[in-house]
Amino acid sequence: MAGAATIAGPTTALADELITLKTRAGVTQSMQLWEPHGRSPKAVILLIPGGDGNIGLKLENGKAVAEGPHLFSQHRELFEQAGLAVAVLDAPTDQQEMTQQFRTSSLHMNDMGALLSELGRRFPQTPIALVAHSRGTISAGYTAQRFGAQISAMVLLSGLYRATAPDPQLPSYGPGLSKIDLHALKMPVLLIHHRADACPLAPIAGALEPAGNLRMITVEDLGQNEAKHPCGPGTKHWFVGQEVAIEQALIRWLLEGKWEPRLAAPST
């Protein structure tokens, strides 16, 4: 059951609204809502950042802002111009870092269910798509498996498809998406991956294994990384130099696809 929503900032539907839900006892979960101006959205994207997932949402002059970077945070206008509403996920208040273990947990699924219910309540006739990057793809995969009837499509960018063992050099270990049968999900799924992704958690071979007959876009750019850490911003894992092209491709795929109606009404 979704928790009660507390709206921080304007009470009307405006861009950059901070939505905070009471999802569990003593825990709140926030998301930043970008919304196209002056029109109803063609679809709603629940954008799930990678890494620790803690983007530090806060109010600044009555407007929701994120302290930390995430994929597409600098190119949001493309979503808005395409007529898409975007809700950007932050970490819940009891998680400084959203590990793989947490992202696969029932606690996280409780939070995600509350978010989907809130988006469904706000946009009852609008398709909802999950778009996730890196470690966020684990959240997306488990959410799609649990709440598939409320989701119309899913896009996984730089996904973590293989299980990884504990390693002091890796920021997060765990099952990845190895336990999720992507082909069994009752929704269209798009995989986007860089062939030269050097992040040890997300090799291209791991993405090719589950692809099968799923739609997949591979990036061939051979440019140099702009950062030293292979999994951080400024790398091929973040599609450095190709962010706009990738965003345009996933938007085109979403808008040209045949949306399946959501089968489940939002919880109350």
Side-chain angles (χ1 to χ4, degrees):
M1 178 177 293
T6 301
I7 309 304
T11 56
T12 55
L14 297 173
D16 298 310
E17 184 178 358
L18 182 62
I19 302 171
T20 299
L21 306 178
K22 297 178 180 178
T23 55
R24 293 178 273 123
V27 175
T28 59
Q29 170 77 68
S30 295
M31 56 184 171
Q32 178 187 21
L33 180 63
W34 310 341
E35 208 170 343
H37 298 281
R39 52 182 166 165
S40 299
K42 298 175 183 177
V44 180
I45 289 174
L46 180 53
L47 184 59
I48 309 175
D52 60 21
N54 194 338
I55 61 172
L57 287 180
K58 63 178 182 178
L59 280 177
E60 197 170 89
N61 297 322
K63 192 174 183 180
V65 297
E67 292 182 324
H70 57 83
L71 193 63
F72 305 141
S73 60
Q74 301 303 311
H75 305 284
R76 54 176 289 177
E77 69 279 358
L78 294 179
F79 288 109
E80 295 171 341
Q81 291 169 2
L84 301 172
V86 180
V88 187
L89 181 72
D90 199 1
T93 53
D94 66 338
Q95 301 294 318
Q96 185 65 29
E97 175 172 354
M98 295 170 71
T99 63
Q100 290 202 38
Q101 286 71 27
F102 176 74
R103 290 179 187 272
T104 62
S105 70
S106 60
L107 296 178
H108 186 42
M109 291 302 99
N110 187 88
D111 297 344
M112 296 302 287
L115 295 177
L116 289 171
S117 294
E118 177 64 15
L119 292 175
R121 184 189 68 80
R122 286 169 171 256
F123 306 100
Q125 304 300 321
T126 307
I128 296 176
L130 301 179
V131 175
H133 175 233
S134 191
R135 203 189 307 174
T137 61
I138 300 171
S139 294
Y142 278 79
T143 299
Q145 180 177 256
R146 174 66 177 81
F147 301 103
Q150 294 174 250
I151 301 165
S152 295
M154 180 169 68
V155 181
L156 304 177
L157 300 111
S158 304
L160 277 58
Y161 300 100
R162 291 176 170 176
T164 52
D167 184 329
Q169 301 301 315
L170 298 180
S172 178
Y173 66 91
L177 289 163
S178 63
K179 297 181 180 180
I180 301 292
D181 183 354
L182 297 176
H183 299 272
L185 299 176
K186 300 184 183 302
M187 69 194 69
V189 178
L190 172 65
L191 313 183
I192 303 179
H193 218 91
H194 202 300
R195 285 194 176 275
D197 191 334
C199 180
L201 294 166
I204 182 63
L208 295 174
E209 289 167 2
N213 61 359
L214 297 177
R215 178 68 186 278
M216 184 172 185
I217 296 174
T218 55
V219 181
E220 307 288 345
D221 172 58
L222 299 178
Q224 297 297 312
N225 284 347
E226 296 179 3
K228 293 182 179 180
H229 193 289
C231 303
T235 67
K236 296 178 177 64
H237 187 65
W238 281 61
F239 303 100
V240 61
Q242 300 292 320
E243 298 92 341
V244 171
I246 291 300
E247 188 171 344
Q248 290 173 333
L250 76 86
I251 289 173
R252 186 164 54 249
W253 180 81
L254 287 173
L255 295 183
E256 291 178 353
K258 294 182 178 180
W259 292 101
E260 296 294 332
R262 296 205 305 271
L263 301 178
S267 301
T268 58

